[in-house]
Amino acid sequence: MFFIFDNNIILDTLSNARKEKFPSSLSVFDFIINESAHTGFISSSSIDNLEFVLYSEIKTTLNLERKITNKLVELAIMNLLDKVEIAKTPSYMEIDFDDIEDSQVVATARAIGAKLITRDKGIINKHHDIAIHPDNFFDVVKQEEKDIPFLDLKEINMQHFNEYEKAFDNVMKSGWYILGKEVEAFEKEFAEYCGVKYCIGVGNGLDALHIILRAYGIGKGDEVIVPSNTYIATWLAVSYAGAKVIPVEPDIRTYNLDPKLIEEKITNKTKAIIAVHLYGQPADMDAINTIAKKYNLKVIEDSAQAHGALYKGRKTGSLGDASGFSFYPGKNLGALGDGGAITTNDDELAKRIRILRNYGSEKKYFNEVKGFNSRLDEMQAAFLRVKLRHLDEDNNKRKEIAKNYMENIINENIVLPYVPEWADPVWHLFVIRSTKRDDLQKYLSENNIQTMIHYPIPPHKQKAYSNMNNLSFPISEQIHEEVLSLPISGAQKRYSSENIIRYLNLFEI
Ligand SMILES: Cc1ncc(COP(=O)(O)O)c(C=O)c1O
């Protein structure tokens, strides 16, 4: 949760006399600063006034030289800013002339969706929906902590609030919003991150896969091997290109394409294999690449769920001929809207993709082919550059939660994920299985734990593929009936994971 401290609370934490008189201010301040699940802010509008009051208080109590007093004030503010973040007072605030300072703090809190910690009775009465007196703080927090959401995107993104704000300002003031410096810089940084020569930003993950197929000239009359167990976008990309999807069943342990079952599906029409790194776990790429080489097929990775995952020490996105990424907000590397990218080491392919994503044009108003409008936009690229800097740290937090789940969920009715020794997954999702999946989900929900199902209906049973509804893919069907995704994210609190483990261990069939 996010909290803004009114100046009266900050001052309470700085002088001994105030600490004694208002002890709850200090305990609330310390709790917020030390609890990683919460972030404390000060409104940018408060700093000037804080400096003024501190100066007067030190002058009256200690009566020191002006220079020394100034230094003490500076140190106190520097020390405070080590602990709290500054939140910018919004330009669209409404000024309340009864108390301009209060209206600024309230506007700042509302702008970032924070609660305001204050002892000011006037604010509490007028803004009781967001203002909390420190004496009531712990009751409010306890109530909020009861619910465990599946994924709190606000919490995840607000961790980088200040960096986003700067990124927004930079793009806004640049006056250049499509295919500019931010996209170029992100493409370079993400290519480096994945360990490939090229990254080309596109509109979303589905377009990324579709454009790769188009760039290879795969279309009508061609067949593409896809996992029967995946998010439907993998299939849709093939269908958009005009080719036929040839589903292959997964390994029930990893939920990823089973290489042993690929060869029997290859015909003289097969042009490519799309390997999905589902739930953040890499597919068995060496085995897949060996088959592709034998039959001269392209290998396309669907890395939409696996930013940063490693296969035998190598990053996803560098393991096939080309790879599609999604930056949908819920992904490990998620934007604040749609976004996608293609990575490859193939010079010619990269060139064709750059043309295809931009109306089939390399030079403005000269169109070589009938291309698409599918470009990663400047604002999303700027936000993604912020997120990319924190991706490994965020993935490591996911790994810690996964380790905790793996070591401590002990219930024979629950199947935990299986990680082959060559895989270093990034846990986009932590997926368990149970033959009583629906009961389990209901039970967790009754205990305020939100879970999700990825995915309830396999692609071949969807209405969109009604021509395939009568086919049978029993492993996929079993997976779709039994899987349940537990909450996992870089912003997840330790107590949430502990609670989830406790309830799972108490679940009885
Ligand atoms: C495995 C997989 N492939 C492709 C996509 C498509 O990505 P996007 O939503 O950005 O189009 C997704 C997104 O959910 C996905 O999970």
Side-chain angles (χ1 to χ4, degrees):
M1 288 173 76
F2 303 99
F3 298 98
I4 288 208
F5 298 110
D6 199 0
N7 271 352
N8 49 46
I9 305 296
I10 297 202
L11 290 164
D12 289 352
T13 68
L14 293 177
S15 89
N16 285 337
R18 279 181 182 255
K19 277 183 202 166
E20 267 171 36
K21 205 161 165 206
F22 306 109
S24 61
S25 295
L26 183 61
S27 51
V28 167
F29 182 85
D30 281 348
F31 175 81
I32 291 171
I33 300 309
N34 295 319
E35 169 58 69
S36 66
H38 303 310
T39 312
F41 288 90
I42 180 170
S43 168
S44 60
S45 58
S46 301
I47 300 171
D48 182 42
N49 182 259
L50 182 66
E51 185 197 29
F52 176 77
V53 178
L54 273 175
Y55 186 89
S56 321
E57 286 207 358
I58 294 174
K59 195 164 181 290
T60 352
T61 47
L62 300 176
N63 197 20
L64 301 166
E65 253 181 66
R66 187 190 162 89
K67 242 172 129 184
I68 299 177
T69 311
N70 273 336
K71 193 75 207 164
L72 286 176
V73 171
E74 189 186 317
L75 283 174
I77 293 180
M78 298 279 283
N79 185 30
L80 173 72
L81 294 182
D82 273 349
K83 298 174 182 158
V84 303
E85 310 254 344
I86 300 174
K88 186 163 77 175
T89 310
S91 56
Y92 50 84
M93 68 169 288
E94 277 174 33
I95 298 175
D96 176 352
F97 285 94
D98 283 345
D99 194 327
I100 294 179
E101 201 198 335
D102 283 0
S103 63
Q104 285 174 314
V105 178
V106 168
T108 309
R110 290 201 186 281
I112 63 166
K115 299 272 186 213
L116 174 60
I117 312 291
T118 182
R119 281 191 293 98
D120 185 322
K121 294 223 166 64
I123 297 186
I124 294 174
N125 287 337
K126 208 162 162 192
H127 303 280
H128 47 83
D129 57 326
I130 59 160
I132 308 175
H133 191 286
D135 290 349
N136 303 328
F137 173 82
F138 289 101
D139 290 341
V140 174
V141 167
K142 243 186 232 143
Q143 193 55 35
E144 300 260 350
E145 282 179 354
K146 264 173 75 183
D147 290 332
I148 303 178
F150 178 69
L151 186 67
D152 190 337
L153 286 176
K154 177 185 154 194
E155 196 86 22
I156 289 171
N157 287 314
M158 287 298 282
Q159 296 179 110
H160 316 301
F161 176 71
N162 293 7
E163 288 173 86
Y164 276 143
E165 195 173 87
K166 194 170 171 192
F168 173 85
D169 288 350
N170 281 342
V171 174
M172 186 72 177
K173 74 183 178 206
S174 77
W176 190 282
Y177 306 117
I178 298 286
L179 294 186
K181 288 198 176 97
E182 295 291 340
V183 170
E184 204 182 306
F186 173 73
E187 289 179 341
K188 191 165 169 285
E189 288 159 10
F190 195 57
E192 261 167 37
Y193 181 83
C194 294
V196 292
K197 266 162 92 176
Y198 303 105
C199 165
I200 305 110
V202 293
N204 53 65
L206 171 55
D207 283 1
L209 296 170
H210 174 216
I211 290 174
I212 294 170
L213 292 163
R214 293 281 189 159
Y216 277 132
I218 295 171
K220 209 161 181 276
D222 297 331
E223 293 180 352
V224 177
I225 305 259
V226 293
S228 54
N229 177 54
T230 180
Y231 180 58
I232 198 167
T234 320
W235 286 37
L236 288 176
V238 178
S239 302
Y240 280 178
K244 190 174 173 200
V245 287
I246 305 294
V248 166
E249 284 270 69
D251 180 327
I252 184 74
R253 296 169 307 164
T254 63
Y255 311 129
N256 275 330
L257 209 48
D258 185 343
K260 292 194 296 300
L261 306 177
I262 294 178
E263 271 191 277
E264 65 199 55
K265 295 290 178 90
I266 293 175
T267 69
N268 56 5
K269 291 182 184 163
T270 312
K271 291 287 176 323
I273 303 171
I274 304 186
V276 182
H277 307 304
L278 202 65
Y279 308 149
Q281 163 135 272
D284 188 357
M285 293 307 291
D286 279 355
I288 293 167
N289 281 323
T290 305
I291 298 165
K293 206 164 171 202
K294 185 168 160 195
Y295 294 93
N296 195 24
L297 309 176
K298 296 294 177 200
V299 173
I300 300 165
E301 298 173 75
D302 181 340
S303 305
Q305 303 191 0
H307 317 75
L310 297 175
Y311 173 77
K312 300 185 182 171
R314 285 174 290 139
K315 289 249 171 72
T316 52
S318 71
L319 305 168
D321 293 293
S323 173
F325 282 91
S326 162
F327 305 127
Y328 178 79
K331 300 290 194 248
N332 291 40
L333 181 60
L336 300 187
D338 273 318
I342 294 159
T343 55
T344 183
N345 284 314
D346 183 332
D347 304 343
E348 263 310 300
L349 185 80
K351 199 167 162 221
R352 276 201 297 278
I353 288 169
R354 275 189 201 287
I355 292 171
L356 274 177
R357 76 167 168 182
N358 194 24
Y359 296 111
S361 142
E362 192 175 10
K363 191 169 157 206
K364 203 164 182 172
Y365 304 131
F366 290 81
N367 302 81
E368 295 156 43
V369 287
K370 294 189 191 92
F372 310 98
N373 173 7
S374 181
R375 303 166 298 210
L376 177 64
D377 78 59
E378 277 290 280
M379 198 63 92
Q380 296 308 334
F383 293 145
L384 285 165
R385 292 182 69 199
V386 170
K387 265 288 189 49
L388 183 57
R389 293 199 281 274
H390 298 281
L391 178 60
D392 285 342
E393 176 193 329
D394 190 84
N395 281 342
N396 285 338
K397 286 187 197 160
R398 288 171 183 267
K399 286 179 194 178
E400 262 174 47
I401 296 167
K403 186 166 177 272
N404 194 11
Y405 282 157
M406 290 291 243
E407 286 173 358
N408 296 303
I409 298 172
I410 304 161
N411 184 330
E412 57 189 23
N413 300 309
I414 291 171
V415 180
L416 290 169
Y418 166 78
V419 181
E421 86 284 355
W422 40 257
D424 186 1
V426 286
W427 303 103
H428 171 57
L429 297 169
F430 190 95
V431 178
I432 57 172
R433 259 175 41 231
S434 167
T435 50
K436 294 281 176 227
R437 189 264 314 275
D438 293 345
D439 292 343
L440 177 58
Q441 184 172 40
K442 188 162 166 275
Y443 157 83
L444 290 172
S445 162
E446 284 163 1
N447 288 294
N448 307 308
I449 298 166
Q450 194 189 12
T451 56
M452 284 186 74
I453 297 169
H454 297 93
Y455 299 92
I457 305 172
H460 72 280
K461 292 287 181 197
Q462 297 283 359
K463 260 196 198 159
Y465 284 96
S466 54
N467 58 325
M468 299 175 85
N469 285 174
N470 59 345
L471 298 181
S472 165
F473 294 101
I475 302 175
S476 281
E477 283 157 31
Q478 184 191 343
I479 290 171
H480 286 73
E481 268 165 31
E482 295 184 355
V483 286
L484 188 67
S485 306
L486 302 182
I488 189 164
S489 87
Q492 189 160 308
K493 292 108 185 163
R494 178 89 197 173
Y495 62 76
S496 302
S497 310
E498 300 302 339
N499 249 354
I500 294 165
I501 293 167
R502 191 160 55 85
Y503 280 109
L504 283 171
N505 288 342
L506 290 172
F507 176 68
E508 282 173 21
I509 288 188

mmCIF file of all heavy atoms in Angstrom, residues 246-269:
data_model
loop_
_atom_site.group_PDB
_atom_site.id
_atom_site.type_symbol
_atom_site.label_atom_id
_atom_site.label_comp_id
_atom_site.label_asym_id
_atom_site.label_seq_id
_atom_site.Cartn_x
_atom_site.Cartn_y
_atom_site.Cartn_z
ATOM 1 N N ILE A 246 -0.932 -27.313 -36.566
ATOM 2 C CA ILE A 246 -0.817 -28.753 -36.338
ATOM 3 C C ILE A 246 -0.443 -28.931 -34.861
ATOM 4 O O ILE A 246 0.728 -28.807 -34.484
ATOM 5 C CB ILE A 246 0.272 -29.381 -37.248
ATOM 6 C CG1 ILE A 246 -0.004 -29.062 -38.727
ATOM 7 C CG2 ILE A 246 0.382 -30.882 -37.003
ATOM 8 C CD1 ILE A 246 -1.281 -29.704 -39.306
ATOM 9 N N PRO A 247 -1.451 -29.192 -34.008
ATOM 10 C CA PRO A 247 -1.163 -29.255 -32.574
ATOM 11 C C PRO A 247 -0.405 -30.524 -32.182
ATOM 12 O O PRO A 247 -0.650 -31.601 -32.723
ATOM 13 C CB PRO A 247 -2.554 -29.263 -31.930
ATOM 14 C CG PRO A 247 -3.512 -28.954 -33.029
ATOM 15 C CD PRO A 247 -2.874 -29.359 -34.302
ATOM 16 N N VAL A 248 0.530 -30.347 -31.247
ATOM 17 C CA VAL A 248 1.280 -31.475 -30.680
ATOM 18 C C VAL A 248 1.122 -31.409 -29.161
ATOM 19 O O VAL A 248 1.186 -30.318 -28.573
ATOM 20 C CB VAL A 248 2.773 -31.385 -31.085
ATOM 21 C CG1 VAL A 248 3.633 -32.332 -30.254
ATOM 22 C CG2 VAL A 248 2.934 -31.704 -32.574
ATOM 23 N N GLU A 249 0.913 -32.564 -28.557
ATOM 24 C CA GLU A 249 0.646 -32.625 -27.120
ATOM 25 C C GLU A 249 1.889 -32.262 -26.281
ATOM 26 O O GLU A 249 3.028 -32.472 -26.705
ATOM 27 C CB GLU A 249 0.208 -34.046 -26.747
ATOM 28 C CG GLU A 249 -1.226 -34.355 -27.157
ATOM 29 C CD GLU A 249 -2.249 -34.006 -26.086
ATOM 30 O OE1 GLU A 249 -2.449 -32.811 -25.816
ATOM 31 O OE2 GLU A 249 -2.861 -34.940 -25.534
ATOM 32 N N PRO A 250 1.648 -31.745 -25.064
ATOM 33 C CA PRO A 250 2.761 -31.405 -24.174
ATOM 34 C C PRO A 250 3.200 -32.601 -23.330
ATOM 35 O O PRO A 250 2.499 -33.612 -23.254
ATOM 36 C CB PRO A 250 2.137 -30.355 -23.268
ATOM 37 C CG PRO A 250 0.698 -30.744 -23.183
ATOM 38 C CD PRO A 250 0.338 -31.362 -24.506
ATOM 39 N N ASP A 251 4.347 -32.424 -22.677
ATOM 40 C CA ASP A 251 4.783 -33.339 -21.618
ATOM 41 C C ASP A 251 3.941 -32.960 -20.389
ATOM 42 O O ASP A 251 3.920 -31.783 -19.994
ATOM 43 C CB ASP A 251 6.279 -33.078 -21.369
ATOM 44 C CG ASP A 251 6.853 -33.978 -20.286
ATOM 45 O OD1 ASP A 251 6.105 -34.319 -19.345
ATOM 46 O OD2 ASP A 251 8.046 -34.315 -20.370
ATOM 47 N N ILE A 252 3.263 -33.915 -19.800
ATOM 48 C CA ILE A 252 2.361 -33.606 -18.676
ATOM 49 C C ILE A 252 3.111 -33.014 -17.482
ATOM 50 O O ILE A 252 2.537 -32.288 -16.676
ATOM 51 C CB ILE A 252 1.544 -34.870 -18.246
ATOM 52 C CG1 ILE A 252 0.511 -34.585 -17.135
ATOM 53 C CG2 ILE A 252 2.478 -35.985 -17.781
ATOM 54 C CD1 ILE A 252 -0.692 -33.854 -17.563
ATOM 55 N N ARG A 253 4.434 -33.272 -17.410
ATOM 56 C CA ARG A 253 5.172 -32.731 -16.259
ATOM 57 C C ARG A 253 5.521 -31.248 -16.446
ATOM 58 O O ARG A 253 5.426 -30.455 -15.526
ATOM 59 C CB ARG A 253 6.461 -33.523 -16.026
ATOM 60 C CG ARG A 253 6.219 -34.980 -15.640
ATOM 61 C CD ARG A 253 7.521 -35.751 -15.693
ATOM 62 N NE ARG A 253 8.163 -35.572 -16.996
ATOM 63 C CZ ARG A 253 9.435 -35.857 -17.243
ATOM 64 N NH1 ARG A 253 10.217 -36.320 -16.275
ATOM 65 N NH2 ARG A 253 9.953 -35.688 -18.448
ATOM 66 N N THR A 254 5.944 -30.885 -17.670
ATOM 67 C CA THR A 254 6.408 -29.499 -17.878
ATOM 68 C C THR A 254 5.331 -28.617 -18.515
ATOM 69 O O THR A 254 5.469 -27.396 -18.545
ATOM 70 C CB THR A 254 7.625 -29.465 -18.832
ATOM 71 O OG1 THR A 254 7.195 -29.965 -20.112
ATOM 72 C CG2 THR A 254 8.769 -30.298 -18.315
ATOM 73 N N TYR A 255 4.283 -29.219 -19.052
ATOM 74 C CA TYR A 255 3.198 -28.536 -19.767
ATOM 75 C C TYR A 255 3.675 -27.953 -21.104
ATOM 76 O O TYR A 255 2.908 -27.275 -21.795
ATOM 77 C CB TYR A 255 2.533 -27.427 -18.911
ATOM 78 C CG TYR A 255 2.170 -27.900 -17.516
ATOM 79 C CD1 TYR A 255 2.551 -27.181 -16.388
ATOM 80 C CD2 TYR A 255 1.465 -29.080 -17.337
ATOM 81 C CE1 TYR A 255 2.231 -27.629 -15.108
ATOM 82 C CE2 TYR A 255 1.138 -29.538 -16.066
ATOM 83 C CZ TYR A 255 1.532 -28.818 -14.963
ATOM 84 O OH TYR A 255 1.211 -29.264 -13.715
ATOM 85 N N ASN A 256 4.928 -28.175 -21.466
ATOM 86 C CA ASN A 256 5.485 -27.660 -22.722
ATOM 87 C C ASN A 256 5.539 -28.764 -23.768
ATOM 88 O O ASN A 256 5.559 -29.961 -23.431
ATOM 89 C CB ASN A 256 6.903 -27.118 -22.475
ATOM 90 C CG ASN A 256 6.881 -25.672 -21.991
ATOM 91 O OD1 ASN A 256 5.976 -24.920 -22.345
ATOM 92 N ND2 ASN A 256 7.869 -25.301 -21.204
ATOM 93 N N LEU A 257 5.650 -28.328 -25.037
ATOM 94 C CA LEU A 257 5.739 -29.219 -26.193
ATOM 95 C C LEU A 257 6.615 -30.448 -25.886
ATOM 96 O O LEU A 257 7.740 -30.311 -25.405
ATOM 97 C CB LEU A 257 6.405 -28.408 -27.312
ATOM 98 C CG LEU A 257 6.089 -28.705 -28.762
ATOM 99 C CD1 LEU A 257 4.609 -28.809 -29.023
ATOM 100 C CD2 LEU A 257 6.698 -27.600 -29.623
ATOM 101 N N ASP A 258 6.076 -31.646 -26.175
ATOM 102 C CA ASP A 258 6.855 -32.867 -25.959
ATOM 103 C C ASP A 258 7.604 -33.197 -27.258
ATOM 104 O O ASP A 258 6.993 -33.627 -28.246
ATOM 105 C CB ASP A 258 5.901 -34.020 -25.587
ATOM 106 C CG ASP A 258 6.663 -35.290 -25.220
ATOM 107 O OD1 ASP A 258 7.869 -35.366 -25.555
ATOM 108 O OD2 ASP A 258 6.053 -36.180 -24.612
ATOM 109 N N PRO A 259 8.940 -33.024 -27.279
ATOM 110 C CA PRO A 259 9.688 -33.223 -28.536
ATOM 111 C C PRO A 259 9.500 -34.623 -29.115
ATOM 112 O O PRO A 259 9.538 -34.796 -30.338
ATOM 113 C CB PRO A 259 11.147 -33.001 -28.124
ATOM 114 C CG PRO A 259 11.091 -32.253 -26.842
ATOM 115 C CD PRO A 259 9.816 -32.651 -26.166
ATOM 116 N N LYS A 260 9.240 -35.600 -28.280
ATOM 117 C CA LYS A 260 9.081 -36.993 -28.756
ATOM 118 C C LYS A 260 7.869 -37.144 -29.687
ATOM 119 O O LYS A 260 7.778 -38.096 -30.448
ATOM 120 C CB LYS A 260 8.921 -37.954 -27.566
ATOM 121 C CG LYS A 260 10.165 -38.105 -26.720
ATOM 122 C CD LYS A 260 10.078 -39.295 -25.788
ATOM 123 C CE LYS A 260 8.979 -39.195 -24.734
ATOM 124 N NZ LYS A 260 9.079 -38.039 -23.812
ATOM 125 N N LEU A 261 6.914 -36.213 -29.568
ATOM 126 C CA LEU A 261 5.676 -36.347 -30.334
ATOM 127 C C LEU A 261 5.653 -35.471 -31.593
ATOM 128 O O LEU A 261 4.659 -35.446 -32.328
ATOM 129 C CB LEU A 261 4.469 -35.991 -29.441
ATOM 130 C CG LEU A 261 4.371 -36.771 -28.123
ATOM 131 C CD1 LEU A 261 3.190 -36.275 -27.302
ATOM 132 C CD2 LEU A 261 4.236 -38.273 -28.405
ATOM 133 N N ILE A 262 6.755 -34.765 -31.846
ATOM 134 C CA ILE A 262 6.744 -33.811 -32.973
ATOM 135 C C ILE A 262 6.886 -34.511 -34.332
ATOM 136 O O ILE A 262 6.101 -34.257 -35.258
ATOM 137 C CB ILE A 262 7.853 -32.738 -32.797
ATOM 138 C CG1 ILE A 262 7.545 -31.857 -31.586
ATOM 139 C CG2 ILE A 262 7.986 -31.877 -34.061
ATOM 140 C CD1 ILE A 262 8.594 -30.803 -31.281
ATOM 141 N N GLU A 263 7.867 -35.405 -34.448
ATOM 142 C CA GLU A 263 8.226 -35.943 -35.773
ATOM 143 C C GLU A 263 7.049 -36.590 -36.497
ATOM 144 O O GLU A 263 6.885 -36.426 -37.704
ATOM 145 C CB GLU A 263 9.393 -36.928 -35.635
ATOM 146 C CG GLU A 263 10.719 -36.190 -35.742
ATOM 147 C CD GLU A 263 11.909 -37.105 -35.881
ATOM 148 O OE1 GLU A 263 12.370 -37.567 -34.828
ATOM 149 O OE2 GLU A 263 12.356 -37.347 -37.018
ATOM 150 N N GLU A 264 6.194 -37.294 -35.748
ATOM 151 C CA GLU A 264 5.074 -37.983 -36.391
ATOM 152 C C GLU A 264 4.078 -37.005 -37.034
ATOM 153 O O GLU A 264 3.253 -37.394 -37.841
ATOM 154 C CB GLU A 264 4.354 -38.894 -35.377
ATOM 155 C CG GLU A 264 3.685 -38.149 -34.254
ATOM 156 C CD GLU A 264 3.383 -39.030 -33.036
ATOM 157 O OE1 GLU A 264 4.313 -39.665 -32.501
ATOM 158 O OE2 GLU A 264 2.204 -39.073 -32.632
ATOM 159 N N LYS A 265 4.168 -35.713 -36.648
ATOM 160 C CA LYS A 265 3.230 -34.717 -37.206
ATOM 161 C C LYS A 265 3.827 -33.933 -38.381
ATOM 162 O O LYS A 265 3.168 -33.074 -38.960
ATOM 163 C CB LYS A 265 2.805 -33.719 -36.114
ATOM 164 C CG LYS A 265 2.004 -34.326 -34.978
ATOM 165 C CD LYS A 265 0.627 -34.730 -35.466
ATOM 166 C CE LYS A 265 -0.204 -35.378 -34.390
ATOM 167 N NZ LYS A 265 -0.991 -34.476 -33.615
ATOM 168 N N ILE A 266 5.088 -34.213 -38.703
ATOM 169 C CA ILE A 266 5.736 -33.446 -39.777
ATOM 170 C C ILE A 266 5.358 -34.030 -41.147
ATOM 171 O O ILE A 266 5.405 -35.241 -41.342
ATOM 172 C CB ILE A 266 7.272 -33.435 -39.575
ATOM 173 C CG1 ILE A 266 7.605 -32.633 -38.303
ATOM 174 C CG2 ILE A 266 7.998 -32.836 -40.781
ATOM 175 C CD1 ILE A 266 9.056 -32.645 -37.909
ATOM 176 N N THR A 267 4.956 -33.142 -42.073
ATOM 177 C CA THR A 267 4.645 -33.562 -43.446
ATOM 178 C C THR A 267 5.504 -32.706 -44.388
ATOM 179 O O THR A 267 6.252 -31.840 -43.923
ATOM 180 C CB THR A 267 3.160 -33.310 -43.782
ATOM 181 O OG1 THR A 267 2.962 -31.894 -43.855
ATOM 182 C CG2 THR A 267 2.226 -33.908 -42.750
ATOM 183 N N ASN A 268 5.315 -32.892 -45.695
ATOM 184 C CA ASN A 268 6.099 -32.042 -46.606
ATOM 185 C C ASN A 268 5.559 -30.606 -46.661
ATOM 186 O O ASN A 268 6.138 -29.745 -47.310
ATOM 187 C CB ASN A 268 6.216 -32.672 -48.008
ATOM 188 C CG ASN A 268 4.843 -32.960 -48.582
ATOM 189 O OD1 ASN A 268 3.829 -32.598 -47.957
ATOM 190 N ND2 ASN A 268 4.790 -33.586 -49.746
ATOM 191 N N LYS A 269 4.444 -30.359 -45.949
ATOM 192 C CA LYS A 269 3.917 -28.985 -45.905
ATOM 193 C C LYS A 269 4.422 -28.225 -44.667
ATOM 194 O O LYS A 269 4.228 -27.013 -44.541
ATOM 195 C CB LYS A 269 2.385 -29.025 -45.849
ATOM 196 C CG LYS A 269 1.751 -29.520 -47.135
ATOM 197 C CD LYS A 269 0.249 -29.469 -46.972
ATOM 198 C CE LYS A 269 -0.433 -30.036 -48.190
ATOM 199 N NZ LYS A 269 -1.828 -30.374 -47.922
#
